Amino acid sequence: MDRNRRGTTTHIPGEFVHRADPADIIPTGWTRLQENRFSVSASWPAAHPFFSPVAGDRHDPVLVAETIRQTTMLIAHAEFGVPVEDQFVMWNLFYDTDPEALAVDGPSTDIHADVIVSDVVSRGGRLRELRTTVVLTREGRFLGTGGAMARCTSALAYRRIRGERMAALGRPVPLIGGVAPELVGRDDAKDVVLGPGTRPGQWQLRINTDHRTLFRRPNDHVPGMVLLEAARQAATLACGEGGMYLPAAMQASFTRYAELDRPCWVEAETVPGADTAKTTARVVGLQDGSPVFRCVFTSPARALAAAGAGHGGRRTV
């Protein structure tokens, strides 16, 4: 693709957003407005095998996180010259949405992302870190805001850092049993990423390397998207809302790689708050006794999430 054809892009290369399936590619084009400001167009599908609507008629708020993640990588590759073989780590990721604005409208939704890039760190002429702050709108209506802090590592440096762990690349991972899909707001057992734990409020990460969306390619560690989905499913279980759970706001931090060959335990609890119109769940992922990630989700109270919903689960479009 010619990088000078900004604003006219109709196809985003999968390697720019680290996606192999065109159906999983959310951005549709970009324009550089200023040195550190970009306009990115995107499309949210109403019918997708994984990012299907939640709470009856709402776009999955985790689409906001995925939009921010893909937008950050797109800008890093297309505008800052990061080689496509470089590795990305999102150390921090957050979003806050308007639940009412997430209502599904038609077979697809055109989204506009206004992106500010800051805290840029370069070494040896190569981008190493950047922060993105994103505001999402649809036909001028505010959808949500969010951002990410990403670090880029060259392929050579990544292999050196991971060392013998690279041997796990593509190695089969035993698939453990999962919790019931309806308990975590899923229709299909293949989308369940949690198995039973050893005590209440705890579950084991369930790794399905054959999942086309969660594992786009062979990996030597658990992708961050899998961890984020595990956190969301754990929050759903903690809140006991199944298909009506609407994670309208999220703050996540990742502290280390989650290894494929070691059990990762996901723990969740609800957190009392002064605002009775909202429910907050705190989730932590642990491996070998050390934190891998921490997430906090905020959702509307069940009665608010259910208002206007067609039924109590994910909708098949």
Side-chain angles (χ1 to χ4, degrees), residues 44 52-64 95-104 143 183-185 231-233 235-237 239-250 277-281 296-309 311-314:
W44 284 359
S52 55
V54 298
D57 67 345
R58 312 293 174 88
H59 278 291
D60 186 347
V62 178
L63 267 172
V64 176
Y95 67 77
D96 192 354
T97 65
D98 175 359
E100 296 300 326
L102 291 172
V104 175
L143 280 177
L183 296 180
V184 293
R232 183 256 285 279
Q233 291 187 18
T236 304
L237 286 164
C239 294
E241 297 184 359
M244 293 313 302
Y245 187 66
L246 186 69
M250 182 273 295
K278 296 180 179 179
T279 301
T280 299
V296 176
F297 291 95
T298 303
S299 63
R302 183 166 184 160
L304 294 181
H311 54 80
R314 286 178 177 253

Side-chain angles (χ1 to χ4, degrees), residues 18-142:
H18 297 199
R19 284 296 183 193
D21 188 341
D24 294 338
I25 299 175
I26 294 174
T28 57
W30 79 95
T31 304
R32 190 168 200 156
L33 303 176
Q34 298 173 3
E35 183 64 25
N36 67 332
R37 184 179 177 187
F38 303 85
S39 174
V40 177
S41 59
S43 180
W44 284 359
H48 188 277
F50 187 76
F51 294 116
S52 55
V54 298
D57 67 345
R58 312 293 174 88
H59 278 291
D60 186 347
V62 178
L63 267 172
V64 176
E66 182 64 6
T67 301
I68 293 169
R69 190 187 74 87
Q70 291 192 22
T71 294
T72 298
M73 292 187 294
L74 168 64
I75 290 173
H77 286 307
E79 294 291 341
F80 286 87
V82 174
V84 294
E85 63 270 16
D86 273 17
Q87 295 285 331
F88 276 77
V89 175
M90 299 285 176
W91 292 111
N92 298 99
L93 184 63
F94 75 94
Y95 67 77
D96 192 354
T97 65
D98 175 359
E100 296 300 326
L102 291 172
V104 175
D105 182 18
S108 65
T109 301
D110 292 330
I111 303 297
H112 174 259
D114 187 68
V115 185
I116 300 294
V117 176
S118 61
D119 299 338
V120 175
V121 176
S122 297
R123 296 190 185 93
R126 295 177 63 137
L127 180 73
R128 294 305 182 202
E129 293 184 4
L130 81 164
R131 184 186 302 276
T132 54
T133 303
V134 182
V135 176
L136 298 175
T137 56
R138 177 173 64 177
E139 296 182 348
R141 180 177 180 179
F142 174 80

Side-chain angles (χ1 to χ4, degrees), residues 227-275:
L227 301 178
L228 186 60
E229 177 62 19
R232 183 256 285 279
Q233 291 187 18
T236 304
L237 286 164
C239 294
E241 297 184 359
M244 293 313 302
Y245 187 66
L246 186 69
M250 182 273 295
Q251 292 183 327
S253 61
F254 303 88
T255 55
R256 51 170 286 198
Y257 292 109
E259 306 299 346
L260 293 166
D261 59 354
R262 303 289 299 162
C264 182
W265 303 100
V266 182
E267 301 175 357
E269 61 180 351
T270 57
V271 181
D275 189 348

Side-chain angles (χ1 to χ4, degrees), residues 145-160:
T145 187
M149 181 68 185
R151 181 174 298 167
C152 312
T153 304
S154 71
L156 180 61
Y158 182 78
R159 287 194 296 270
R160 185 168 60 248

